């Protein structure tokens, strides 16, 4: 995801083009590349359970919506850039839908899917994430993890 984000950020103008400079809107390609590079980072934040994931997802949804609106409006006005705008539209919709799905998916569902083979670990992680200041929840998670993976406290 990080590599995809870096590619969108640095090479968005090329990824959205027909590989011919005359058949693309270079300023819009650069802008879209920068805006859409937020989407893979937001997905990464959510899937790795990092703080700030919800903010990143909302920012990504807003950026995708902006690119989507500009693409739809521009697609109707310029016939020679039809393929360019269709490619932009497809990528924006796919990444935008992925971000929306992750935004509406609760953390507990992701943890239950990740730890489908160990419901107790999923339960303990959900409890620890819901109560980040609860030392007992974190201690229970740590103790369970130590037992499960045979870690010693030496």
């Amino acid at each position: 995801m990080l590599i995809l984000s870096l590619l969108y950020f640095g090479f968005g103008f090329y990824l959205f083009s027909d590989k011919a400079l005359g058949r693309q809107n270079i300023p819009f390609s650069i802008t879209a590349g920068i805006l859409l590079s937020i989407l893979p980072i937001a997905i990464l934040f959510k899937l790795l359970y990092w703080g700030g994931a919800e903010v990143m997802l909302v920012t990504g949804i807003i950026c995708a919506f902006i690119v989507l609106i500009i693409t739809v409006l521009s697609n109707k006005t310029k016939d020679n850039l039809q393929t360019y705008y269709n490619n932009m539209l497809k990528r924006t919709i796919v990444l935008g839908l992925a971000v929306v799905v992750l935004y509406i998916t609760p953390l507990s569902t992701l943890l239950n899917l990740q730890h489908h083979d160990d419901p107790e670990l999923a339960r303990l992680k959900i409890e620890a994430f819901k109560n980040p200041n609860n030392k007992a929840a974190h201690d229970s998670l740590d103790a369970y993890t130590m037992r499960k993976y045979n870690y010693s406290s030496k």
Side-chain angles (χ1 to χ4, degrees):
M1 283 294 164
L2 182 61
I3 292 170
L4 181 60
S5 177
L6 292 173
L7 285 174
Y8 272 132
F9 185 76
F11 301 104
F13 67 93
Y14 183 75
L15 293 173
F16 294 121
S17 70
D18 279 340
K19 312 312 180 250
L21 293 177
R23 292 185 301 199
Q24 65 177 315
N25 182 342
I26 294 175
F28 182 58
S29 292
I30 293 170
T31 304
I34 291 170
L35 291 175
L36 293 180
S37 69
I38 295 170
L39 299 173
I41 292 174
I43 293 169
L44 188 67
F45 267 59
K46 180 73 172 195
L47 294 179
L48 294 177
Y49 312 112
W50 290 346
E54 300 300 316
V55 173
M56 290 293 293
L57 290 169
V58 169
T59 304
I61 291 169
I62 292 169
C63 290
F65 187 71
I66 290 168
V67 171
L68 189 67
I69 294 298
I70 293 171
T71 303
V72 168
L73 293 176
S74 299
N75 196 9
K76 295 178 179 181
T77 60
K78 302 195 169 113
D79 291 333
N80 62 334
L81 299 175
Q82 192 77 26
T83 304
Y84 165 78
Y85 286 118
N86 286 339
N87 290 341
M88 178 84 69
L89 192 63
K90 290 174 193 172
R91 286 189 179 106
T92 305
I93 288 172
V94 169
L95 280 173
L97 284 177
V99 170
V100 168
V101 166
L102 281 174
Y103 180 73
I104 62 175
T105 303
L107 180 67
S108 59
T109 302
L110 291 175
L111 285 168
N112 283 324
L113 286 172
Q114 181 182 4
H115 301 291
H116 62 88
D117 57 338
D118 192 353
E120 180 63 16
L121 180 59
R123 185 189 67 75
L124 290 170
K125 281 190 172 184
I126 291 168
E127 187 65 31
F129 276 114
K130 283 185 179 177
N131 304 304
N133 297 327
N134 185 347
K135 185 166 173 24
H138 288 280
D139 290 344
S140 297
L141 176 60
D142 290 342
Y144 183 82
T145 305
M146 295 280 235
R147 281 193 315 272
K148 181 176 179 178
Y149 298 110
N150 295 320
Y151 292 137
S152 63
S153 58
K154 295 177 184 176

